[in-house]
């Protein structure tokens, strides 16, 4: 075969190979086999110089044309491959504007915070101001200053999460010594009543305070118990505040919170820091007092503890119990939320399951 024939053969071979290439790396391999330093065309070009003199110009010209032909062909195919790749990519990434949108998750206040706000708003409307206190509290504020003696059962390890270890009340201590020890014992507050003391020791009456907060007790969790829970404390101190004022205030609150048709009832009870003390019931918001499963057929639901502030509490904060009186009450936020929204398990509040939380 003559060199010219070899060249023609390579031309059609190369042309086919270039056309078949579908990827850039394949194309580059073809370029190297044809035009590389050790490529097929390069090898044929080298042979031109060994031809008889008169055949060289023609063969050289043809070889150069084929080189040109390959270069153009490779360039064209490269563009085609790149364009096809781009087209494919654009097709895959196309945005379908008719698809339904994905709604972003929008946060909202936790149901307990909403209920706390609802309660506090009602009292703000009655002229109360909001106060807060620490969740890690001293024994003094949580118990002693609230007229709760050192041997009171509420202090027991079974109820209270103590933080301070190794300090306890010995026998035969003076009141001063008891107070000193009590002021060194840190615990997680078991109720919001210590806020009463913290506010009263800093300020003088008249005081109308509403104080929400998280509390802790050593309870085994079940449908109605949780080691963390929330209370809203309220108290009023002024001259000549009476039990009638407490009743009227709570009646307004209950009607605002649960509906104008609700009634309240006081049952005698005991708290160390109030005298007299009462447990307050609201007529059942499910059956309207007729009797149902929720109110255990009694027609009433217990919602808070209350009473007239004990003179010993006033003495502790330096108030004269002869010239000031006051009432206090405390309610469990979870219980109120459960009653109001028909929630049957207190643990739901703390599990952070969005399927629960998003319902409110
Ligand atoms: N602190 C009491 C409790 O946790 C509730 C209460 C508050 C009772 C204020 C009377 C007055 O049970």
């Amino acid at each position: 075969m003559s060199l010219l024939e070899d060249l023609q053969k390579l031309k059609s071979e190369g042309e086919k190979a270039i056309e078949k290439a579908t990827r850039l790396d394949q194309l580059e391999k073809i370029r190297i086999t044809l035009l590389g330093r050790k490529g097929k065309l390069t090898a044929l070009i080298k042979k031109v110089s060994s031809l008889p003199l008169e055949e060289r110009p023609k063969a050289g010209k043809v070889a150069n044309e084929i080189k040109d032909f390959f270069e153009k062909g490779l360039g064209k195919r490269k563009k085609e491959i790149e364009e096809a790749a781009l087209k494919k990519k654009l097709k895959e990434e196309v945005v379908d504007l008719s698809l339904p949108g994905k709604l972003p998750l929008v946060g909202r206040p936790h149901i307990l915070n909403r209920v706390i706000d609802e309660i506090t708003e009602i009292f703000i409307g009655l002229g109360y101001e909001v106060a807060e206190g620490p969740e890690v509290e001293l024994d003094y504020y949580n118990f002693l200053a609230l007229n709760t003696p050192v041997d009171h059962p509420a202090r027991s390890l079974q109820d209270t999460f103590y933080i301070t270890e190794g300090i306890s009340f010995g026998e035969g201590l003076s009141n001063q010594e008891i107070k000193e020890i009590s002021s060194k014992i840190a615990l997680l507050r078991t109720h919001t009543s210590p806020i009463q003391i913290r506010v009263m020791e800093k300020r003088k009456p008249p005081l109308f305070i509403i104080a929400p907060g998280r509390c802790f007790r050593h309870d085994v969790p079940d449908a109605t118990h949780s080691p963390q829970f929330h209370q809203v404390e309220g108290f009023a101190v002024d001259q000549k505040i009476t039990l009638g004022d407490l009743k009227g205030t709570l009646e307004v609150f209950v009607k605002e919170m649960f509906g104008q048709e609700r009634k309240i009832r006081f049952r005698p009870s005991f708290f160390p820091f109030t005298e007299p003390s009462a447990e307050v019931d609201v007529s059942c918001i499910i059956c309207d007092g007729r009797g149902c499963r929720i109110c255990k057929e009694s027609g009433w639901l217990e919602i808070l503890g209350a009473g007239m502030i004990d003179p010993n509490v006033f003495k502790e904060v330096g108030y004269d119990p002869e010239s000031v009186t006051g009432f206090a009450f405390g309610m469990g936020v979870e219980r109120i939320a459960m009653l109001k929204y028909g929630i049957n398990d207190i643990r739901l509040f703390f599990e952070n399951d969005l399927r629960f939380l998003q319902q409110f």
Side-chain angles (χ1 to χ4, degrees), residues 26-40:
Q26 289 170 343
L27 203 63
E28 176 61 6
K29 261 195 204 140
I30 292 164
R31 191 190 65 76
I32 292 167
T33 359
L34 295 175
L35 302 175
R37 242 174 354 104
K38 292 178 181 158
K40 290 182 179 170

Side-chain angles (χ1 to χ4, degrees), residues 102-126:
K102 278 189 198 150
L103 282 182
L105 271 188
V106 180
R108 67 189 82 192
H110 192 282
I111 176 64
L112 288 178
N113 286 321
R114 297 252 309 273
V115 171
I116 287 172
D117 287 348
E118 214 179 320
I119 298 168
T120 34
E121 285 300 323
I122 293 170
F123 283 97
I124 286 169
L126 294 174

Side-chain angles (χ1 to χ4, degrees), residues 112-355:
L112 288 178
N113 286 321
R114 297 252 309 273
V115 171
I116 287 172
D117 287 348
E118 214 179 320
I119 298 168
T120 34
E121 285 300 323
I122 293 170
F123 283 97
I124 286 169
L126 294 174
Y128 283 60
E129 51 178 311
V130 177
E132 283 181 70
E135 290 174 8
V136 176
E137 191 47 285
L138 294 173
D139 181 281
Y140 175 74
Y141 292 103
N142 197 77
F143 291 126
L144 194 67
L146 285 164
N147 197 36
T148 310
V150 291
D151 52 3
H152 194 278
R155 290 167 175 260
S156 111
L157 263 175
Q158 285 171 24
D159 289 344
T160 308
F161 288 109
Y162 284 96
I163 289 173
T164 313
E165 283 174 18
I167 304 182
S168 57
F169 302 100
E171 301 279 313
L173 298 169
S174 70
N175 283 348
Q176 188 51 36
E177 286 166 327
I178 288 173
K179 187 169 169 177
E180 273 166 28
I181 294 170
S182 172
S183 303
K184 287 197 186 111
I185 299 175
L187 44 75
L188 297 182
R189 70 179 171 200
T190 58
H191 53 176
T192 42
S193 299
I195 302 171
Q196 291 183 35
I197 307 297
R198 288 191 173 269
V199 171
M200 286 195 277
E201 79 178 0
K202 283 206 195 73
R203 297 173 53 179
K204 294 269 158 284
L207 294 172
F208 292 85
I209 305 287
I210 193 82
R214 192 193 305 259
C215 309
F216 306 86
R217 281 183 206 175
H218 229 297
D219 276 328
V220 178
D222 64 20
T224 53
H225 295 86
S226 164
Q228 60 165 329
F229 58 97
H230 296 76
Q231 286 189 341
V232 176
E233 190 85 6
F235 60 99
V237 185
D238 201 353
Q239 289 171 348
K240 299 194 177 111
I241 292 218
T242 67
L243 189 65
D245 294 326
L246 171 61
K247 250 188 134 168
T249 303
L250 292 179
E251 214 166 293
V252 169
F253 163 70
V254 158
K255 286 178 192 254
E256 286 285 325
M257 192 73 193
F258 297 106
Q260 292 302 317
E261 60 283 9
R262 298 280 89 85
K263 294 187 195 66
I264 60 168
R265 127 181 135 168
F266 277 47
R267 278 181 293 112
S269 185
F270 174 81
F271 298 103
F273 36 91
T274 47
E275 180 60 34
S277 301
E279 253 153 355
V280 182
D281 299 341
V282 56
S283 55
C284 181
I285 63 178
I286 311 291
C287 65
D288 204 17
R290 283 185 296 273
C292 68
R293 198 172 48 86
I294 301 296
C295 62
K296 299 198 182 87
E297 306 301 331
S298 73
W300 295 95
L301 300 164
E302 185 197 323
I303 54 159
L304 50 82
M308 299 306 290
I309 296 175
D310 194 288
N312 284 339
V313 173
F314 285 143
K315 279 188 215 146
E316 191 63 40
V317 296
Y319 289 4
D320 176 7
E322 297 301 323
S323 64
V324 294
T325 56
F327 63 69
F329 56 84
M331 59 188 108
V333 178
E334 284 79 2
R335 170 142 173 96
I336 288 180
M338 286 167 83
L339 291 173
K340 196 162 168 166
Y341 295 99
I343 298 162
N344 58 12
D345 194 321
I346 193 172
R347 291 168 291 198
L348 287 166
F349 293 118
F350 304 110
E351 281 165 358
N352 289 335
D353 187 334
L354 288 181
R355 291 170 302 178

